[in-house]
């Protein structure tokens, strides 16, 4: 056995260029598997992370309210009362799309304005930089107060502390700025960006909206394990109201993440499969070279057999040679794949690490390729008739 | 004389060439005893190579029996034949048949390796064997660094390494000049005098005369089997 390994390494070294070319297929195949799988995993991991930042406990409800069939804020709060342990927060989400917003004489054309409840700050996981957030009293008393994003505060009032207590006009009505939210996204700090928004009590927003309906709600579950129960119960409740599944929709972030993870799995397996085909081709390359090697070494095989080498010994020698060749190729491929993954990941600004299972799998596959594709040539070598083998030059 | 080392009983080797049957060995009956030095001589195509393949357990007879060292080879599997070759026969080939990528020591170790001898013992035996042919100092060299005569001596060392019952030499001087041929033949004679059994295949009557007994093959049949003096008188003209 040890002797076979020594012989294999000798044979590989005695034909360096050919061995390298044989390995090249395996190197490329293994590196491709590792790079593809790791980059996709890294990229998808990034996406999942983004979703998680948005809150795994978040559940969004959309309903198309009509005059006869509608879901009110009170219905939603009743739902919370029925299942107090399920939820940590609830907020209607009323967008005012055509509101005219003015700070002094300046128009804020791109600023988004939504009506929310006092829970919304926690739901979004934002923090107040200056002043205070909305409170229950603001909502029930329909106060003309608002919380603004840091872009609004900095651009139109100079700084967050100057903005607080100042006012802003929405559809001609003055609103007192009671708080400023910390900057969320430095890279996107511009007109229409992440930090260009105004929150007002949803009760006020509903009054200002054209039909006074609340079509969107955001809920926060106290634990992701409740997600299914909450989603199902809400759907039941909504069906009772709307009698038509197309008029409402309940989406849980955690189930999106779950779906996303499943899709990642499928995609990764598919890509690994495609890269795997290159490994198959590489395996055929190994077989090809080993067959040539057997033909070239017919005389050597004949001598060995004449001196008493049994079929198994000859077989072992060639299988091990093929396995060692493809294993060395596999190891080189793993190193190249890992390095390439790191540098491509850095270029794409994602945290891509060669996944352990991709490394183990491709290593295993490259060893297996050597064994499987080395088998046929080794078999033909072992079967050689020593007389015929000795006769060749 | 006891039991013969080699015994062939009604041995046939028949090849099918198209529609024709070629009798390469045609009813060979032969006994060779331990300690003999036999030359098997014949022209090319006479069937002597076929006979040597069967004696060397490289091939099996089509019919008849070949009993080597008390064991019938005609029903043996490939691996059993390999074992017989390994334990019983030391081959000396015309083309030396050394493996070019192995050192002399590794070449001589090969039969011992296949016999499953431990590494340290293998090395000792191989070195002793190389010493017998006077090439111990060159053990770490490669075959292509040696002359033809030296290479043939290495192949003899390899044949001797496993201490086989039979040395089977196939045209051992065929690739050598007359001076080195002489050396090799003298060495074979010396080995014979030390008690080794030698069967030598050759086409050359002059070489055959170096043996103690000559078996002449013609058209697959034995046409002469006797001692060398008798052969010399009978076949002087054809030489």
């Amino acid at each position: 056995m040890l002797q076979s390994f020594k012989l294999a390494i000798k044979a590989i070294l005695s034909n360096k260029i050919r061995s390298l070319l044989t390995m090249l297929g395996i190197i490329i195949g293994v590196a491709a598997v590792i790079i593809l799988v790791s980059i996709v995993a890294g990229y998808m991991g990034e996406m999942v992370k983004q979703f998680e930042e948005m809150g795994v406990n978040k559940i969004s409800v959309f309903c198309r309210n009509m005059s006869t069939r509608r879901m009110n804020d009170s219905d939603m709060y009743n739902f919370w009362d029925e299942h107090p342990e399920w939820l940590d927060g609830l907020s209607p989400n009323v967008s005012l799309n055509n509101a005219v917003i003015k700070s002094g004489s300046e128009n804020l054309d791109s600023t988004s304005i939504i009506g929310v409840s006092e829970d919304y700050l926690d739901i979004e996981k934002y923090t107040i930089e200056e002043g205070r957030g909305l409170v229950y009293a603001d909502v029930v008393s329909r106060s003309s107060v608002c919380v603004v994003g840091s872009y609004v505060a900095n651009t139109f009032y100079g700084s967050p502390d100057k903005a607080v207590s100042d006012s802003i006009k929405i559809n001609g009505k003055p609103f007192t700025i009671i708080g400023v939210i910390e900057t969320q996204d430095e890279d996107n700090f511009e007109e229409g960006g992440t930090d260009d928004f105004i929150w007002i009590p949803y009760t006020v927003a509903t009054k200002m909206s054209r039909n006074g309906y609340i079509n969107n709600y955001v809920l926060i579950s106290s634990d992701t394990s409740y997600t299914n129960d909450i989603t199902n119960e809400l759907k039941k409740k909504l069906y009772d109201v709307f009698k038509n599944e197309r008029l409402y929709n309940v989406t849980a972030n955690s189930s999106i993440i779950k779906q996303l993870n499943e899709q990642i799995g499928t995609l990764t397996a598919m890509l690994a499969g495609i890269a795997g085909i290159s490994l198959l081709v590489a395996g055929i390359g190994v077989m090809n070279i080993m067959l040539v090697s057997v033909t070239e070494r017919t005389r050597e095989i004949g001598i060995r057999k004449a001196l008493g080498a049994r079929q198994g010994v000859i077989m072992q020698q060639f299988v091990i040679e093929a396995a060692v060749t493809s294993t060395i190729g596999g190891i080189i491929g793993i190193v190249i794949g890992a390095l390439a993954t790191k540098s491509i990941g850095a270029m794409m600004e994602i945290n891509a690490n060669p996944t352990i299972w991709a490394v183990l799998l491709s290593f295993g596959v490259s060893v297996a390729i050597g064994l499987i594709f080395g088998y046929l040539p080794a078999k033909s070598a072992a079967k050689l008739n020593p007389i015929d083998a000795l006769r060749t030059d | 004389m006891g039991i013969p080392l080699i015994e062939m009983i009604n041995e046939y080797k028949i090849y099918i060439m198209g529609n024709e049957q070629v009798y390469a060995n045609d009813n060979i009956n032969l006994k060779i005893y331990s300690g003999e030095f036999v030359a098997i001589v014949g022209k090319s195509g006479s069937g002597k190579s076929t006979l040597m393949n069967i004696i060397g357990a490289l091939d099996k007879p089509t019919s008849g029996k070949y009993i080597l060292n008390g064991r019938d080879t005609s029903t043996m599997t490939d691996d059993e034949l390999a074992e017989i070759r390994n334990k019983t026969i030391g081959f000396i080939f015309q083309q030396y048949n050394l493996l070019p990528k192995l050192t002399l020591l590794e070449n001589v170790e090969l039969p011992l390796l296949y016999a499953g001898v431990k590494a340290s013992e293998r090395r000792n035996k191989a070195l002793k064997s190389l010493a017998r042919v006077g090439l111990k100092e060159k053990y770490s060299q490669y075959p292509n660094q040696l002359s033809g005569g030296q290479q043939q001596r290495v192949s003899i060392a390899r044949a001797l390494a496993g201490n086989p019952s039979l040395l089977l030499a196939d045209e051992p001087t065929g690739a050598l000049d007359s001076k080195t041929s002489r050396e090799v033949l003298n060495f074979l004679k010396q080995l014979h005098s030390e008690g080794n059994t030698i069967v030598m295949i050759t086409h050359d009557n002059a070489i055959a005369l170096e043996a103690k007994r000559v078996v002449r093959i013609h058209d697959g049949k034995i046409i002469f089997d006797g001692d060398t003096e008798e052969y010399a008188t009978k076949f002087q003209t054809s030489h």
Side-chain angles (χ1 to χ4, degrees), chain A residues 22 26 281-291 322 326 369-370 373-374:
Chain A
T22 313
I26 304 230
V281 175
I284 294 167
V286 170
M287 180 157 64
N288 193 9
I289 293 296
M290 289 310 295
L291 281 171
S326 62
I369 280 175
F373 290 95

Side-chain angles (χ1 to χ4, degrees), chain A residues 53-99:
Chain A
E53 274 167 9
M54 283 163 63
V56 277
N57 294 344
K58 207 180 205 178
I59 298 163
S60 308
V61 177
F62 163 79
C63 44
R64 194 180 298 279
N65 287 304
M66 289 172 289
S67 55
T68 53
R69 292 181 256 177
R70 49 200 261 206
M71 192 83 176
N72 287 330
D73 52 338
S74 56
D75 297 328
M76 288 304 285
Y77 278 103
N78 282 339
F79 175 76
W80 190 357
D81 287 342
E82 287 161 25
H83 310 285
E85 73 284 4
W86 284 0
L87 295 178
D88 269 356
L90 164 64
S91 174
N93 189 330
V94 184
S95 298
L96 293 175
N97 291 327
N98 300 312

Side-chain angles (χ1 to χ4, degrees), chain B residues 35-83:
Chain B
E36 282 199 273
F37 184 0
V38 181
I40 294 175
V41 67
K43 296 195 193 100
S44 99
S46 61
K48 67 178 190 305
S49 293
T50 305
L51 187 60
M52 118 117 204
N53 288 338
I54 288 169
I55 292 174
L58 290 163
D59 206 351
K60 289 189 281 192
T62 310
S63 71
K65 275 190 177 171
Y66 171 45
I67 296 156
L68 174 61
N69 223 1
R71 292 178 66 191
D72 186 3
T73 64
S74 45
T75 54
M76 282 187 181
T77 65
D78 212 36
D79 280 354
E80 284 173 324
L81 288 175
E83 201 193 324

Side-chain angles (χ1 to χ4, degrees), chain A residues 10 299 304-305 307 311, chain B residues 78-79 85-86 97 114:
Chain A
K10 228 172 192 173
R299 194 177 179 83
R304 287 179 184 277
K305 289 197 85 168
L307 296 179
Q311 291 194 0
Chain B
D78 212 36
D79 280 354
R85 289 196 293 271
N86 181 253
N97 282 344
Y114 293 132

Side-chain angles (χ1 to χ4, degrees), chain B residues 92-104:
Chain B
I92 301 163
F93 299 101
Q94 180 178 6
Q95 297 297 337
Y96 330 130
N97 282 344
L98 300 173
L99 296 184
K101 280 169 190 165
L102 301 185
T103 63
L104 302 191

Side-chain angles (χ1 to χ4, degrees), chain B residues 102-138:
Chain B
L102 301 185
T103 63
L104 302 191
L105 181 67
E106 287 167 328
N107 264 293
V108 175
E109 276 186 357
L110 268 183
L112 301 168
L113 175 73
Y114 293 132
V117 177
K118 280 198 314 247
S120 57
E121 197 186 337
R122 217 156 63 205
R123 193 186 155 88
N124 277 339
K125 283 191 169 176
L127 282 174
K128 252 180 221 160
S129 204
L130 274 172
R132 274 181 89 178
V133 298
L135 288 168
K136 193 184 173 185
E137 290 73 32
K138 294 186 190 279

